[in-house]
Amino acid sequence: MATMKFMCDAERCIECNGCVTACKNANEVEWGIQRRRVVTLNDGEPSEVSISVACMHCDDAPCIAVCPTETLFQRDDGIVLHDKDLCIGCGYCLYACPFGAPQFPKQNAFGERGKMDKCTFCAGGPAETKEEEYQKYGANRIAEGKLPLCAEMCSTKALLAGDAQEVADIFRQRVVQRGHKDGGWSGNPRADADSLAYDATQQG
């Protein structure tokens, strides 16, 4: 079975926040919850780089390991989901996650944060009906044979989603295409003898 993963190509991300908007529209999460966000490092510097961040659906997810109520679980395809009916709002998952993926509607003390929410890879969650599933977890595009909307709406195809091997193959092809030192954009200040020439126009 395929293992589903996200990957953001930092050389292509233009910080448009289209993925953030797409996620909001697809899942209609409550106010204050942001399942996906764009983080920019070295803002305003020649080395500025942006990356789209959400739950990375880790193989050995630390959030699952620390959850005292077994709210979080991993499907056979690698997608990490959560059961809101079991969540007590302790926030342990938030402290354990290196990506800050778990979100809470309130900033209160232990057990008073409300039900945890996070990226579901647009795979819904445990519910008895489609209506209940959408209300609690948002869209279940995976069941419809579709990819997460954030990746589908990325204008520069910086955000990739799908089978881990296919995502890796796409990125590997991009790296090879960028690697020519005589490429059209090889004069980019970020490209030196030890790094890859940056060419955002390459298609791959």
Side-chain angles (χ1 to χ4, degrees):
M1 175 178 282
T3 300
M4 308 300 276
K5 293 292 180 185
F6 280 121
M7 199 216 73
C8 184
D9 185 346
E11 299 290 4
R12 285 183 173 228
C13 182
I14 58 174
E15 197 186 356
C16 68
N17 283 282
C19 54
V20 177
T21 304
C23 179
K24 282 279 191 181
N25 288 342
N27 300 298
E28 295 186 15
V29 293
E30 60 183 295
W31 183 259
I33 299 293
Q34 191 147 326
R35 293 183 176 180
R36 179 166 289 283
R37 63 195 184 283
V38 176
V39 176
T40 300
L41 305 175
N42 303 323
D43 196 10
E45 302 294 328
S47 59
E48 176 180 315
V49 55
S50 296
I51 187 169
S52 179
V53 179
C55 175
M56 299 304 288
H57 303 276
C58 308
D59 290 337
D60 187 15
C63 57
I64 296 176
V66 301
C67 181
T69 61
E70 299 184 352
T71 294
L72 292 133
F73 61 97
Q74 192 159 33
R75 302 192 336 176
D76 291 339
D77 59 5
I79 297 174
V80 176
L81 296 180
H82 61 293
D83 187 337
K84 288 195 173 186
D85 293 333
L86 298 177
C87 180
I88 59 173
C90 65
Y92 288 176
C93 55
L94 175 60
Y95 302 134
C97 178
F99 305 104
Q103 302 281 301
F104 293 88
K106 302 175 184 176
Q107 301 298 319
N108 297 348
F110 182 94
E112 298 179 355
R113 291 183 172 85
K115 301 293 186 180
M116 186 270 282
D117 191 278
K118 74 171 195 68
C119 162
T120 64
F121 209 88
C122 282
E128 294 186 4
T129 65
K130 286 187 176 181
E131 292 74 17
E132 182 188 3
E133 180 183 46
Y134 185 80
Q135 182 181 11
K136 286 183 177 180
Y137 308 102
N140 190 344
R141 294 171 55 85
I142 298 298
E144 300 172 359
K146 301 175 182 177
L147 290 175
L149 192 61
C150 56
E152 287 202 356
M153 295 298 290
C154 181
S155 59
T156 61
K157 300 304 177 191
L159 184 60
L160 302 173
D163 174 55
Q165 189 58 55
E166 292 185 15
V167 168
D169 289 343
I170 292 170
F171 185 67
R172 189 177 298 110
Q173 182 183 4
R174 291 180 182 180
V175 168
V176 170
Q177 289 177 329
R178 292 178 190 149
H180 300 291
K181 292 183 174 62
D182 59 347
W185 287 73
S186 59
N188 187 291
R190 292 174 57 184
D192 55 39
D194 298 322
S195 65
L196 300 173
Y198 174 49
D199 188 352
T201 64
Q202 292 284 1
Q203 301 298 313

